[in-house]
Amino acid sequence: MPELVATGSLLVVLLGGVFAGPRNEALVSGLAALGMLAAFAAAAGMLAAGFSGTFFGGGYAVDDFALYFKLIITATAFFTVIAASRWAGRTGDAPEYMTLVIAVALGGMLLVSMRDLFGVFLAVELATIPSYAMVAFDRRRRESAEGGMKYLITGVIASSFLLYGIVLIYGVSGSANLSRVAEAFGENLSPVAIVGLVLMLSGFAFKVSAAPFHFWTPDAYQGAPTSAAAFLSVAPKAAIFAVLLRILLDGMPQAAPTWTALMAVIAIVTMFVGNLLALRQSNVRRMLAYSSVAHSGYILAAFAALQGEAVPAGVQAVMIYSAAYAVMNLGAFLTIDLVGEEAKSFNGLFATRPALAVAMAVFMAALVGIPPLSGFFGKAWVIYAGVGSGSWLVYAAVAALVVNSVLSVPYYFGIIRNMFQEEPVSEGGPVKGDGGVAFTVYAMAVFTVLFFLGVGPLAALAAGSGLL
């Protein structure tokens, strides 16, 4: 039902742009927001009703785990539509832009339910191909075309890695269904199985901006419209992490010693690369891009802990971190639309727009992991899972998370210092943006602050998600 609602919304928005005339941004934005809200309601209703089942020969699963991530994806798409409505209208291409947002969301919704590797690949491409157009959508800026081209080229390479790895796994197991794959992937893997696993994980690492496959991220996020960068940094990543959890735990549980070791190494490298490069940035958008790389490393540390008695806590960590990261990062990126990209644009913001400065300070503190904000609970759950894993390599990943959280303080709190201690910039002028962006920013700030109220229900939902 959520996917059917999203598909219907996509078609209605596209046709609304065709028949509503040149001044159609309000109509299509309203239709897109209503469609995403309806898809969210459908997923929430199914979750509340306890609906679950497998379809298409076991290749598609609807359970609490999938519905949880569908809620994150549809909610993020809803707020993205609201924030992008005025900008998309000014470009004259609101129907096309909103259609791309819904298409990415639809791909992510399908992806989190897939239990067939070839279905996974198709859903990944459905979520990824429209995102190339989203990055390159602002034809007035050279950076947009450049970022879109770099994203396209690296995305094609990532898809090739992913598909080749899936083909090798299929060759070893004789099936793309995860239940059959699990029978072939035991503790002792053949060389072909190891190559297939490494290639598949490399393909997913490209998609989530994990080092050393992160190099497309800063250019793509800097060139993309702000709403596109905000959305792509959250929703597709959440979907990729969800399906990766399903593949590894449903399809390769006996091979956990191999892939948890790979995840630990990738996580440690990704954390340090993201934070060290973020420290050098004066452009806030590029800083947040490298920050998203580091946060991918934090989530991957939870994947490294998926062994022994720590598996339930590791699943909870990924699910809670995905929700926490969605609210704080979406708000941080969209604040750029109201202030500007350069760090000096935030100078003295508290004197000119105190509410916006407080909201941005909340996002920066949450990204560091200051309690009781949303980022704290995400990191705390990763640490809890890692400590319970009993693996020294995972302990190293947890230690790296703590070190990198401290390492991130200068560039996050540098923005806070600029807003509260520096003099306002004379060329600041009127605030760029509109009410939709401001509404979304303030809503995300509230969710970030009040996230602790939902941690208990989220943890309970994760524990009974049906994945394990």
Side-chain angles (χ1 to χ4, degrees), residues 56-60 113-122 166 175-178 243 246-247:
F56 307 111
Y60 195 85
S113 287
M114 287 296 178
R115 296 190 74 252
D116 181 275
L117 291 178
F118 291 116
V120 167
F121 178 76
L122 291 176
I166 289 173
S175 174
N177 190 286
L178 294 182
V243 76
R246 193 181 290 279
I247 289 172

Side-chain angles (χ1 to χ4, degrees), residues 262-410:
L262 287 173
M263 287 296 189
V265 174
I266 294 174
I268 294 171
V269 174
T270 301
M271 290 183 228
F272 279 104
V273 168
N275 282 310
L276 290 175
L277 292 176
L279 285 169
R280 304 172 54 187
Q281 306 304 315
S282 60
N283 183 288
V284 179
R285 193 192 292 252
R286 291 183 71 88
M287 181 268 283
L288 289 176
Y290 284 115
S291 163
S292 73
V293 173
H295 281 272
S296 292
Y298 301 150
I299 297 177
L300 289 173
F303 279 85
L306 294 173
Q307 51 186 293
E309 300 296 324
V311 173
V315 173
Q316 287 180 321
V318 175
M319 295 177 72
I320 292 173
Y321 208 123
S322 297
Y325 183 68
V327 295
M328 60 188 178
N329 203 60
L330 189 68
F333 259 108
L334 290 176
T335 305
I336 295 173
D337 244 3
L338 300 170
V339 180
E341 292 190 14
E342 297 300 323
K344 66 179 182 180
S345 302
F346 288 82
N347 289 358
L349 184 63
F350 183 73
T352 57
R353 294 205 65 181
L356 188 60
V358 170
M360 188 60 168
V362 166
F363 299 137
M364 296 295 99
L367 288 166
V368 172
I370 302 298
L373 303 177
S374 61
F376 165 76
F377 293 99
K379 291 183 178 180
W381 238 271
V382 175
I383 293 172
Y384 171 70
V387 170
S389 67
S391 167
W392 288 103
L393 191 55
V394 181
Y395 293 161
V398 169
L401 184 151
V402 175
V403 170
N404 276 274
S405 296
V406 176
L407 194 61
S408 68
V409 169

